[in-house]
Amino acid sequence: MGRIYIDINCDVGEGIGNEAQLFPHISSCNIACAGHAGDQETMLQVVQLAKENGIKVGAHPSYPDSENFGRQSVAISPSDLINSIRGQIALLEGIVTRGELKLHHIKAHGALYNDIASDAVLAMNYLESVEAYRGTAVLYVPPGSVIAKEAVKRGFVCALEAFGDRAYRPDLGLVSRQQENALISAPEDVLERIVTIARDHVVSSIDGRQLGIHADTFCIHGDTPNALQILMYLSSELPKYNIFLKK
């Protein structure tokens, strides 16, 4: 089998402060833009680090819910949600532009990411909020999701995302963080997952089923306690499987 090049992304700018350590091992980042976390100072710092490391910069908007870190669904009117997402992205885009970079992609965070994967009305509201970036920014979306299907219909360019450090349900949804088996923390297990998805296009669900999956980008959460150890291990081991980071 020939060489395989993959994108590895991290959710960053969320107050952990480990971006300088993570960035040498990834190729794109999703920067919190004041919805669930992040402020202008943090965004400035992370954008500068991304520029120094040649990392593609993306916006990571969420429900406007810093109290719950954007990990709970929020009852919010369509207009308020659309305006919030637009404001979050615009805030980051201004910083990105001043740094002489471009906004490469947009990836929803937390509960919003999960909700637009299955709720068609919410997915359409989300697409309306990012309409200005159709044709200029890639949408990172889960494979087989409602948002992926609707985005393609509306002419958005999408990158299908798989998670190296999260467990999957049989419907290809993510296991809730409220469950003990939601996170995959052993670097060896993360490696096996990424290799299997990249080479064989399958992933194991929590009940042992082998599910078909295609991924253009792989996420390792920046707030996973041992994210750096996982990424360093991937950097060392993936080339042994002829899999390389696409910078």
Side-chain angles (χ1 to χ4, degrees):
M1 180 178 290
R3 288 190 171 205
I4 298 173
Y5 291 90
I6 64 172
D7 176 65
I8 296 181
N9 75 76
C10 271
D11 302 337
V12 294
E14 297 176 328
I16 308 301
N18 57 355
E19 289 83 9
Q21 289 75 42
L22 301 180
F23 279 6
H25 306 285
I26 66 175
S27 46
S28 67
C29 69
N30 324 303
I31 302 177
C33 34
H36 66 289
D39 54 29
Q40 281 195 306
E41 182 179 352
T42 300
M43 285 183 262
L44 278 165
Q45 293 171 351
V46 178
V47 167
Q48 181 59 36
L49 282 170
K51 184 176 182 179
E52 293 170 2
N53 285 271
I55 303 299
K56 295 185 288 289
V57 171
H60 199 34
S62 74
Y63 286 119
D65 182 24
S66 59
E67 182 178 351
N68 297 300
F69 200 68
R71 286 180 172 159
Q72 293 184 18
S73 298
V74 174
I76 184 172
S77 71
S79 60
D80 284 347
L81 178 62
I82 290 167
N83 289 335
S84 176
I85 293 172
R86 286 176 177 170
Q88 291 176 56
I89 299 173
L91 185 61
L92 177 65
E93 186 183 25
I95 294 170
V96 170
T97 301
R98 289 197 298 273
E100 299 181 337
L101 296 174
K102 61 172 287 188
L103 189 71
H104 173 263
H105 63 277
I106 301 169
K107 173 187 168 182
H109 165 80
L112 181 61
Y113 182 96
N114 293 328
D115 290 349
I116 62 176
S118 58
D119 185 322
V121 173
L122 196 61
M124 295 304 287
N125 291 336
Y126 179 78
L127 291 176
E128 183 175 343
S129 72
V130 299
E131 173 65 28
Y133 302 93
R134 181 166 53 91
T136 63
V138 179
L139 300 187
Y140 283 16
V141 294
S145 63
V146 170
I147 184 64
K149 295 171 184 175
E150 293 298 333
V152 169
K153 286 181 185 177
R154 291 183 61 162
F156 286 88
V157 176
C158 296
L160 302 179
E161 180 179 44
F163 290 83
D165 57 0
R166 292 291 305 277
Y168 279 93
R169 303 189 308 255
D171 64 354
L172 268 187
L174 298 177
V175 173
S176 169
R177 286 181 177 268
Q178 305 303 316
Q179 296 183 218
E180 290 184 0
N181 59 349
L183 300 179
I184 300 172
S185 57
E188 297 83 0
D189 294 340
V190 176
L191 173 70
E192 180 182 7
R193 162 149 297 182
I194 290 179
V195 170
T196 302
I197 295 174
R199 292 177 57 173
D200 304 324
H201 308 297
V202 295
V203 66
S204 295
S205 64
I206 53 171
D207 63 355
R209 300 186 200 182
Q210 294 294 297
L211 310 173
I213 186 172
H214 175 82
D216 303 303
T217 184
F218 294 82
C219 178
I220 304 296
H221 287 89
D223 64 349
T224 295
N226 63 331
L228 178 58
Q229 288 72 28
I230 290 172
L231 288 169
M232 290 176 66
Y233 186 75
L234 293 176
S235 292
S236 170
E237 298 300 313
L238 281 172
K240 298 177 183 179
Y241 296 86
N242 233 12
I243 299 174
F244 300 89
L245 195 61
K246 179 174 59 178
K247 282 252 188 176

mmCIF file of all heavy atoms in Angstrom, residues 147-173:
data_model
loop_
_atom_site.group_PDB
_atom_site.id
_atom_site.type_symbol
_atom_site.label_atom_id
_atom_site.label_comp_id
_atom_site.label_asym_id
_atom_site.label_seq_id
_atom_site.Cartn_x
_atom_site.Cartn_y
_atom_site.Cartn_z
ATOM 1 N N ILE A 147 -25.826 17.212 8.813
ATOM 2 C CA ILE A 147 -25.135 18.426 8.410
ATOM 3 C C ILE A 147 -24.246 18.184 7.194
ATOM 4 O O ILE A 147 -24.155 19.034 6.303
ATOM 5 C CB ILE A 147 -24.313 19.025 9.586
ATOM 6 C CG1 ILE A 147 -23.676 20.357 9.184
ATOM 7 C CG2 ILE A 147 -23.261 18.055 10.069
ATOM 8 C CD1 ILE A 147 -24.626 21.450 8.865
ATOM 9 N N ALA A 148 -23.619 17.022 7.125
ATOM 10 C CA ALA A 148 -22.770 16.719 5.969
ATOM 11 C C ALA A 148 -23.604 16.661 4.685
ATOM 12 O O ALA A 148 -23.220 17.223 3.650
ATOM 13 C CB ALA A 148 -22.034 15.405 6.185
ATOM 14 N N LYS A 149 -24.742 15.993 4.753
ATOM 15 C CA LYS A 149 -25.590 15.842 3.574
ATOM 16 C C LYS A 149 -26.162 17.195 3.129
ATOM 17 O O LYS A 149 -26.170 17.521 1.933
ATOM 18 C CB LYS A 149 -26.721 14.858 3.871
ATOM 19 C CG LYS A 149 -26.230 13.434 4.126
ATOM 20 C CD LYS A 149 -27.348 12.535 4.620
ATOM 21 C CE LYS A 149 -26.818 11.137 4.955
ATOM 22 N NZ LYS A 149 -27.860 10.269 5.555
ATOM 23 N N GLU A 150 -26.644 17.977 4.084
ATOM 24 C CA GLU A 150 -27.239 19.268 3.740
ATOM 25 C C GLU A 150 -26.184 20.248 3.229
ATOM 26 O O GLU A 150 -26.443 21.047 2.326
ATOM 27 C CB GLU A 150 -27.966 19.855 4.951
ATOM 28 C CG GLU A 150 -29.191 19.064 5.386
ATOM 29 C CD GLU A 150 -30.269 19.020 4.317
ATOM 30 O OE1 GLU A 150 -30.338 19.948 3.485
ATOM 31 O OE2 GLU A 150 -31.040 18.042 4.305
ATOM 32 N N ALA A 151 -24.993 20.190 3.815
ATOM 33 C CA ALA A 151 -23.925 21.094 3.380
ATOM 34 C C ALA A 151 -23.536 20.827 1.933
ATOM 35 O O ALA A 151 -23.354 21.769 1.142
ATOM 36 C CB ALA A 151 -22.713 20.950 4.292
ATOM 37 N N VAL A 152 -23.414 19.569 1.573
ATOM 38 C CA VAL A 152 -23.058 19.219 0.195
ATOM 39 C C VAL A 152 -24.149 19.696 -0.766
ATOM 40 O O VAL A 152 -23.855 20.224 -1.839
ATOM 41 C CB VAL A 152 -22.832 17.699 0.073
ATOM 42 C CG1 VAL A 152 -22.721 17.292 -1.397
ATOM 43 C CG2 VAL A 152 -21.577 17.280 0.827
ATOM 44 N N LYS A 153 -25.407 19.524 -0.370
ATOM 45 C CA LYS A 153 -26.518 19.976 -1.210
ATOM 46 C C LYS A 153 -26.433 21.473 -1.491
ATOM 47 O O LYS A 153 -26.790 21.938 -2.570
ATOM 48 C CB LYS A 153 -27.858 19.678 -0.524
ATOM 49 C CG LYS A 153 -28.269 18.218 -0.526
ATOM 50 C CD LYS A 153 -29.621 18.080 0.160
ATOM 51 C CE LYS A 153 -30.035 16.635 0.300
ATOM 52 N NZ LYS A 153 -31.334 16.515 1.036
ATOM 53 N N ARG A 154 -25.934 22.222 -0.506
ATOM 54 C CA ARG A 154 -25.882 23.680 -0.637
ATOM 55 C C ARG A 154 -24.550 24.180 -1.191
ATOM 56 O O ARG A 154 -24.304 25.371 -1.238
ATOM 57 C CB ARG A 154 -26.174 24.331 0.713
ATOM 58 C CG ARG A 154 -27.631 24.142 1.135
ATOM 59 C CD ARG A 154 -27.972 24.849 2.430
ATOM 60 N NE ARG A 154 -27.782 26.288 2.370
ATOM 61 C CZ ARG A 154 -28.328 27.138 3.229
ATOM 62 N NH1 ARG A 154 -29.114 26.685 4.202
ATOM 63 N NH2 ARG A 154 -28.091 28.440 3.134
ATOM 64 N N GLY A 155 -23.694 23.257 -1.607
ATOM 65 C CA GLY A 155 -22.474 23.652 -2.289
ATOM 66 C C GLY A 155 -21.285 23.949 -1.408
ATOM 67 O O GLY A 155 -20.289 24.517 -1.861
ATOM 68 N N PHE A 156 -21.349 23.545 -0.140
ATOM 69 C CA PHE A 156 -20.196 23.709 0.740
ATOM 70 C C PHE A 156 -19.170 22.610 0.484
ATOM 71 O O PHE A 156 -19.529 21.485 0.114
ATOM 72 C CB PHE A 156 -20.618 23.636 2.212
ATOM 73 C CG PHE A 156 -21.343 24.851 2.714
ATOM 74 C CD1 PHE A 156 -22.730 24.949 2.592
ATOM 75 C CD2 PHE A 156 -20.652 25.900 3.310
ATOM 76 C CE1 PHE A 156 -23.405 26.067 3.063
ATOM 77 C CE2 PHE A 156 -21.315 27.012 3.781
ATOM 78 C CZ PHE A 156 -22.694 27.099 3.659
ATOM 79 N N VAL A 157 -17.918 22.942 0.676
ATOM 80 C CA VAL A 157 -16.860 21.929 0.666
ATOM 81 C C VAL A 157 -16.727 21.386 2.081
ATOM 82 O O VAL A 157 -16.593 22.157 3.041
ATOM 83 C CB VAL A 157 -15.518 22.521 0.199
ATOM 84 C CG1 VAL A 157 -14.416 21.484 0.281
ATOM 85 C CG2 VAL A 157 -15.649 23.052 -1.221
ATOM 86 N N CYS A 158 -16.776 20.070 2.221
ATOM 87 C CA CYS A 158 -16.737 19.444 3.541
ATOM 88 C C CYS A 158 -15.529 18.526 3.686
ATOM 89 O O CYS A 158 -15.083 17.908 2.716
ATOM 90 C CB CYS A 158 -18.003 18.622 3.793
ATOM 91 S SG CYS A 158 -19.528 19.593 3.847
ATOM 92 N N ALA A 159 -15.031 18.449 4.899
ATOM 93 C CA ALA A 159 -14.030 17.450 5.271
ATOM 94 C C ALA A 159 -14.674 16.574 6.338
ATOM 95 O O ALA A 159 -15.128 17.075 7.376
ATOM 96 C CB ALA A 159 -12.764 18.113 5.814
ATOM 97 N N LEU A 160 -14.753 15.283 6.061
ATOM 98 C CA LEU A 160 -15.374 14.355 7.010
ATOM 99 C C LEU A 160 -14.390 14.059 8.132
ATOM 100 O O LEU A 160 -13.218 13.780 7.886
ATOM 101 C CB LEU A 160 -15.792 13.072 6.292
ATOM 102 C CG LEU A 160 -16.768 13.269 5.138
ATOM 103 C CD1 LEU A 160 -17.096 11.929 4.478
ATOM 104 C CD2 LEU A 160 -18.046 13.954 5.609
ATOM 105 N N GLU A 161 -14.889 14.122 9.355
ATOM 106 C CA GLU A 161 -14.014 14.047 10.522
ATOM 107 C C GLU A 161 -14.265 12.782 11.341
ATOM 108 O O GLU A 161 -15.407 12.429 11.643
ATOM 109 C CB GLU A 161 -14.239 15.269 11.407
ATOM 110 C CG GLU A 161 -13.375 15.291 12.661
ATOM 111 C CD GLU A 161 -13.614 16.530 13.499
ATOM 112 O OE1 GLU A 161 -14.794 16.895 13.691
ATOM 113 O OE2 GLU A 161 -12.624 17.136 13.957
ATOM 114 N N ALA A 162 -13.173 12.137 11.721
ATOM 115 C CA ALA A 162 -13.230 11.012 12.658
ATOM 116 C C ALA A 162 -12.477 11.408 13.922
ATOM 117 O O ALA A 162 -11.603 12.275 13.899
ATOM 118 C CB ALA A 162 -12.616 9.762 12.048
ATOM 119 N N PHE A 163 -12.814 10.750 15.033
ATOM 120 C CA PHE A 163 -12.197 11.077 16.313
ATOM 121 C C PHE A 163 -11.303 9.930 16.774
ATOM 122 O O PHE A 163 -11.756 8.795 16.910
ATOM 123 C CB PHE A 163 -13.271 11.354 17.357
ATOM 124 C CG PHE A 163 -14.007 12.642 17.112
ATOM 125 C CD1 PHE A 163 -15.063 12.693 16.212
ATOM 126 C CD2 PHE A 163 -13.616 13.814 17.735
ATOM 127 C CE1 PHE A 163 -15.732 13.878 15.962
ATOM 128 C CE2 PHE A 163 -14.267 15.009 17.485
ATOM 129 C CZ PHE A 163 -15.322 15.046 16.598
ATOM 130 N N GLY A 164 -10.038 10.276 17.008
ATOM 131 C CA GLY A 164 -9.107 9.259 17.464
ATOM 132 C C GLY A 164 -9.235 8.955 18.936
ATOM 133 O O GLY A 164 -8.856 7.870 19.380
ATOM 134 N N ASP A 165 -9.787 9.913 19.720
ATOM 135 C CA ASP A 165 -9.807 9.765 21.172
ATOM 136 C C ASP A 165 -11.212 9.673 21.754
ATOM 137 O O ASP A 165 -11.413 9.872 22.948
ATOM 138 C CB ASP A 165 -9.056 10.930 21.824
ATOM 139 C CG ASP A 165 -9.617 12.293 21.439
ATOM 140 O OD1 ASP A 165 -10.594 12.348 20.658
ATOM 141 O OD2 ASP A 165 -9.073 13.309 21.913
ATOM 142 N N ARG A 166 -12.204 9.367 20.897
ATOM 143 C CA ARG A 166 -13.579 9.225 21.377
ATOM 144 C C ARG A 166 -14.165 7.911 20.899
ATOM 145 O O ARG A 166 -13.859 7.432 19.799
ATOM 146 C CB ARG A 166 -14.450 10.386 20.878
ATOM 147 C CG ARG A 166 -14.113 11.741 21.463
ATOM 148 C CD ARG A 166 -14.462 11.849 22.941
ATOM 149 N NE ARG A 166 -15.854 11.525 23.204
ATOM 150 C CZ ARG A 166 -16.870 12.378 23.069
ATOM 151 N NH1 ARG A 166 -16.632 13.618 22.654
ATOM 152 N NH2 ARG A 166 -18.102 12.006 23.342
ATOM 153 N N ALA A 167 -15.030 7.331 21.720
ATOM 154 C CA ALA A 167 -15.695 6.070 21.381
ATOM 155 C C ALA A 167 -16.945 6.348 20.547
ATOM 156 O O ALA A 167 -17.595 7.388 20.700
ATOM 157 C CB ALA A 167 -16.058 5.314 22.652
ATOM 158 N N TYR A 168 -17.272 5.386 19.678
ATOM 159 C CA TYR A 168 -18.414 5.517 18.778
ATOM 160 C C TYR A 168 -19.563 4.595 19.178
ATOM 161 O O TYR A 168 -19.350 3.471 19.613
ATOM 162 C CB TYR A 168 -17.992 5.173 17.344
ATOM 163 C CG TYR A 168 -17.305 6.300 16.613
ATOM 164 C CD1 TYR A 168 -15.921 6.410 16.615
ATOM 165 C CD2 TYR A 168 -18.039 7.257 15.936
ATOM 166 C CE1 TYR A 168 -15.276 7.440 15.941
ATOM 167 C CE2 TYR A 168 -17.416 8.303 15.257
ATOM 168 C CZ TYR A 168 -16.040 8.381 15.266
ATOM 169 O OH TYR A 168 -15.412 9.420 14.601
ATOM 170 N N ARG A 169 -20.784 5.115 18.987
ATOM 171 C CA ARG A 169 -21.988 4.297 19.110
ATOM 172 C C ARG A 169 -22.196 3.530 17.798
ATOM 173 O O ARG A 169 -21.568 3.852 16.775
ATOM 174 C CB ARG A 169 -23.217 5.176 19.377
ATOM 175 C CG ARG A 169 -23.106 6.067 20.604
ATOM 176 C CD ARG A 169 -24.460 6.711 20.899
ATOM 177 N NE ARG A 169 -25.040 7.376 19.740
ATOM 178 C CZ ARG A 169 -25.082 8.685 19.564
ATOM 179 N NH1 ARG A 169 -24.550 9.501 20.464
ATOM 180 N NH2 ARG A 169 -25.649 9.202 18.476
ATOM 181 N N PRO A 170 -23.116 2.557 17.784
ATOM 182 C CA PRO A 170 -23.376 1.813 16.543
ATOM 183 C C PRO A 170 -23.929 2.661 15.401
ATOM 184 O O PRO A 170 -23.870 2.245 14.243
ATOM 185 C CB PRO A 170 -24.397 0.754 16.988
ATOM 186 C CG PRO A 170 -24.154 0.570 18.446
ATOM 187 C CD PRO A 170 -23.774 1.929 18.944
ATOM 188 N N ASP A 171 -24.460 3.863 15.710
ATOM 189 C CA ASP A 171 -24.987 4.730 14.658
ATOM 190 C C ASP A 171 -23.945 5.742 14.182
ATOM 191 O O ASP A 171 -24.289 6.689 13.469
ATOM 192 C CB ASP A 171 -26.243 5.454 15.132
ATOM 193 C CG ASP A 171 -25.975 6.406 16.300
ATOM 194 O OD1 ASP A 171 -24.833 6.415 16.817
ATOM 195 O OD2 ASP A 171 -26.900 7.135 16.709
ATOM 196 N N LEU A 172 -22.680 5.547 14.561
ATOM 197 C CA LEU A 172 -21.559 6.427 14.234
ATOM 198 C C LEU A 172 -21.598 7.755 14.989
ATOM 199 O O LEU A 172 -20.818 8.660 14.692
ATOM 200 C CB LEU A 172 -21.448 6.706 12.727
ATOM 201 C CG LEU A 172 -20.548 5.788 11.914
ATOM 202 C CD1 LEU A 172 -20.421 6.293 10.486
ATOM 203 C CD2 LEU A 172 -19.167 5.612 12.531
ATOM 204 N N GLY A 173 -22.510 7.846 15.966
ATOM 205 C CA GLY A 173 -22.479 9.003 16.852
ATOM 206 C C GLY A 173 -21.453 8.777 17.953
ATOM 207 O O GLY A 173 -21.027 7.636 18.207
#
